[in-house]
């Protein structure tokens, strides 16, 4: 297999050896533990499409949001990556319960992502482990779509394991993301938090292609410290990663909600957790290393 462009060659046969597989973008919505080496750089276009909410009344309804991130990542030292991102959003929502009708596109803030890799997986030591911190300023409430000034900071523990060397990988993330700010135009302050546990298992199905299932469990809260549960959801779907060349790649993943609930008593007995989460999520992430 060709060198991924993110590891220094350490063997005379590059078709062998786990060093060729960069796990950072391997698992879909789940993030791998690899962070890269000093001097590496990467540009990424990352779009998440969120579709489907509970409709309000009879007739057709629409909830469709495209969140796109443009990012530049660099490594000042080995095992430490810093990523700068700018966000844009394109939204259309109509006849959705508790939400105003909206249709627009706009700039949606910036973020800084800092990641440090504690362990690198290998055949001899298959465990990879990293911690990433992601402070972000956003201009739009993620569910409602109203203007706001919000600061959040996600802490993400990333783990991956080479289950079968050079053939099968397992990835897992645990995330806590508090958010606080104020809606524009007055009104009460905004406080929320999210807990996430995601798991993925991908296998090499071609020289440069990887495919497998991904399961995510999410809990959304009112309050910055998991104060009052609003929604919980379980999503399932496939994740695909393909490397076109040694320096360009794409990751595509789908997550469909298969179980969930909303804590609001007025929605007791209603299927799925749709107050804070969507029925369907699709992620398309394209990257180039240089």
């Amino acid at each position: 297999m060709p060198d991924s462009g993110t590891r220094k060659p350490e063997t005379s046969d590059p078709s062998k050896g786990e060093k060729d597989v960069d796990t950072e973008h391997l698992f879909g919505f789940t993030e791998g533990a690899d962070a890269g080496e000093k001097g590496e750089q990467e540009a990424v276009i990352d779009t998440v499409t969120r579709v489907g909410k509970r409709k309000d009344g009879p007739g057709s309804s629409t909830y469709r949001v495209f969140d796109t991130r443009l990012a530049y990542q660099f490594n000042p030292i080995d095992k430490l990556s810093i990523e700068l991102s700018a966000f844009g959003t394109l939204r259309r929502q109509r006849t959705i319960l508790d939400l105003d009708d909206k249709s627009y596109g706009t700039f949606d803030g910036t973020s800084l992502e800092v990641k440090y890799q504690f362990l690198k997986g290998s055949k001899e030591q298959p465990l990879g482990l990293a911690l990433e911190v992601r402070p972000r300023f956003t201009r739009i409430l993620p569910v409602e779509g109203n203007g706001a000034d919000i600061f959040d900071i996600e802490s993400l523990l990333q783990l991956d394991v080479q289950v079968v060397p050079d053939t099968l990988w397992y990835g897992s993330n645990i995330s806590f993301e508090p958010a606080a700010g104020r809606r524009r135009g007055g009104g009460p302050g905004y406080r929320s938090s999210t807990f996430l546990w995601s798991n993925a298992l991908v296998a090499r199905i071609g020289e440069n292609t990887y495919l497998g299932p991904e399961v995510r469990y999410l809990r959304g809260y009112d309050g910055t410290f998991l104060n009052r549960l609003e929604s919980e959801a379980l999503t399932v779907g496939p994740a695909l990663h393909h490397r076109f060349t040694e320096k360009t790649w794409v990751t595509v993943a789908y997550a469909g909600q298969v179980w969930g609930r909303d804590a609001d008593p007025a929605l007791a007995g209603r299927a799925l957790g749709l107050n804070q989460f969507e029925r369907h999520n699709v992620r398309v992430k394209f990257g180039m290393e240089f």
Side-chain angles (χ1 to χ4, degrees):
M1 171 183 172
D3 182 19
S4 68
T6 59
R7 300 291 177 268
K8 295 178 181 179
E10 296 187 10
T11 174
S12 60
D13 183 2
S15 68
K16 310 293 184 182
E18 67 290 349
K19 298 291 184 182
D20 294 333
V21 178
D22 183 347
T23 64
E24 182 176 10
H25 306 291
L26 193 63
F27 300 106
F29 288 93
T30 305
E31 302 283 344
D34 278 356
E37 298 179 351
K38 181 178 179 179
E40 293 174 355
Q41 301 177 74
E42 185 176 63
V44 175
I45 301 175
D46 184 5
T47 298
V48 175
T49 303
R50 301 183 282 123
V51 178
K53 289 282 190 184
R54 193 168 281 116
K55 70 177 184 178
D56 184 17
S60 63
S61 66
T62 299
Y63 186 89
R64 185 167 58 250
V65 182
F66 300 91
D67 294 320
T68 297
R69 177 174 68 98
L70 304 178
Y72 165 70
Q73 178 181 298
F74 65 97
N75 289 68
I77 61 174
D78 290 347
K79 299 183 179 181
L80 175 68
S81 69
I82 298 175
E83 191 166 48
L84 306 173
S85 299
F87 295 81
T89 188
L90 183 64
R91 174 183 296 261
R92 179 173 172 79
Q93 59 193 51
R94 182 171 61 86
T95 320
I96 299 298
L97 184 65
D98 295 332
L99 300 184
D100 297 330
D101 292 354
K102 293 182 180 296
S103 181
Y104 63 82
T106 189
F107 170 67
D108 190 23
T110 60
S111 74
L112 170 68
E113 303 180 8
V114 180
K115 177 178 180 177
Y116 185 77
Q117 183 180 5
F118 297 96
L119 295 173
K120 163 63 182 155
S122 66
K123 286 182 179 179
E124 294 74 23
Q125 193 288 110
L127 176 65
L129 183 66
L131 178 66
E132 187 166 2
V133 179
R134 301 171 171 174
R136 176 183 173 184
F137 168 73
T138 183
R139 303 175 62 251
I140 304 295
L141 295 179
V143 175
E144 298 90 337
N146 297 331
D149 295 306
I150 305 296
F151 179 77
D152 68 63
I153 181 165
E154 181 181 15
S155 299
L156 186 66
L157 184 66
Q158 303 163 337
L159 175 149
D160 58 56
V161 179
Q162 290 195 52
V163 181
V164 179
D166 208 35
T167 302
L168 185 67
W169 292 261
Y170 165 73
S172 182
N173 293 167
I174 295 177
S175 165
F176 169 59
E177 184 177 7
R182 184 163 296 279
R183 297 171 173 84
R184 293 201 194 98
Y190 176 83
R191 302 286 187 276
S192 72
S193 50
T194 304
F195 170 82
L196 163 71
W197 180 34
S198 66
N199 298 271
L201 188 69
V202 300
R204 186 196 296 271
I205 61 171
E207 184 180 2
N208 299 304
T209 305
Y210 308 82
L211 177 68
E214 186 171 31
V215 179
R216 301 191 304 156
Y217 174 64
L218 305 98
R219 294 172 68 91
Y221 293 83
D222 178 26
T224 52
F225 296 102
L226 310 179
N227 303 83
R228 183 174 65 85
L229 180 67
E230 291 193 333
S231 298
E232 58 181 330
L234 182 70
T235 71
V236 176
L240 171 71
H241 177 75
H242 177 74
R243 189 168 287 274
F244 300 107
T245 70
E246 65 179 29
K247 293 187 178 295
T248 59
W249 51 265
V250 67
T251 300
V252 180
Y254 167 76
Q257 194 174 153
V258 297
W259 175 86
R261 70 181 182 94
D262 292 318
D264 187 344
L267 299 173
R270 303 287 293 273
L272 307 181
L274 299 177
N275 274 1
Q276 296 297 312
F277 309 111
E278 296 77 33
R279 295 178 186 270
H280 310 283
N281 285 260
V282 176
R283 184 178 198 178
V284 179
K285 184 163 54 168
F286 174 80
M288 177 177 294
E289 302 154 5
F290 54 94

